[in-house]
């Protein structure tokens, strides 16, 4: 049962970047991380390259609640990061609070 006081949103998964787009994604990533960490309600945000799968970036995010997470999604869709990564396959799991 979810603790009603724990409304945090957890996102975990990966994005698989094709070889021809790797340099563009690597160049855009630091600014995307900086902007996300500065968002109200962002508790943690990590994107790192996998050591096991070429082109795979592991993603882990925690936001204080659904509103903060949704605001992040909207900001990201209007960002340079979105333009650089549009169409790249993602595999994410989103969980709420103590389900995480």
């Amino acid at each position: 049962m979810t603790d009603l006081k724990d409304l945090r949103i957890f996102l975990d998964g990966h994005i698989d970047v094709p070889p021809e787009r790797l340099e563009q994604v690597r160049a855009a990533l630091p600014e995307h991380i900086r902007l996300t960490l500065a968002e109200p309600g962002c508790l943690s945000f990590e994107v790192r390259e996998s050591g096991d799968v070429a082109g795979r970036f592991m993603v882990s995010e925690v936001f204080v609640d659904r509103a903060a997470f949704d605001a992040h999604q909207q900001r990201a869709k209007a960002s340079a990061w979105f333009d650089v990564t549009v169409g790249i396959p993602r595999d994410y799991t989103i969980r709420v609070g103590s389900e995480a």
Side-chain angles (χ1 to χ4, degrees), residues 24-41:
Q24 239 187 332
V25 168
R26 285 179 181 136
L29 185 56
E31 181 69 356
H32 178 55
I33 292 170
R34 185 189 73 74
L35 290 171
T36 300
L37 288 171
E39 292 174 13

Side-chain angles (χ1 to χ4, degrees), residues 60-86:
S60 178
E61 307 176 5
V62 183
F63 289 87
V64 294
D65 58 20
R66 175 63 68 175
F69 178 75
D70 290 347
H72 164 68
Q73 295 297 310
Q74 289 305 309
R75 186 207 56 82
K77 286 179 182 171
S79 73
W81 176 254
F82 181 82
D83 294 337
V84 167
T85 62
V86 69

Side-chain angles (χ1 to χ4, degrees), residues 39-96:
E39 292 174 13
C42 177
L43 297 175
S44 70
F45 185 80
E46 182 180 2
V47 182
R48 61 177 174 71
E49 284 193 64
S50 168
D52 300 322
V53 179
R56 178 165 287 180
F57 289 75
M58 306 307 295
V59 181
S60 178
E61 307 176 5
V62 183
F63 289 87
V64 294
D65 58 20
R66 175 63 68 175
F69 178 75
D70 290 347
H72 164 68
Q73 295 297 310
Q74 289 305 309
R75 186 207 56 82
K77 286 179 182 171
S79 73
W81 176 254
F82 181 82
D83 294 337
V84 167
T85 62
V86 69
I88 295 177
R90 292 161 164 82
D91 183 10
Y92 296 147
T93 300
I94 299 170
R95 296 179 310 281
V96 178

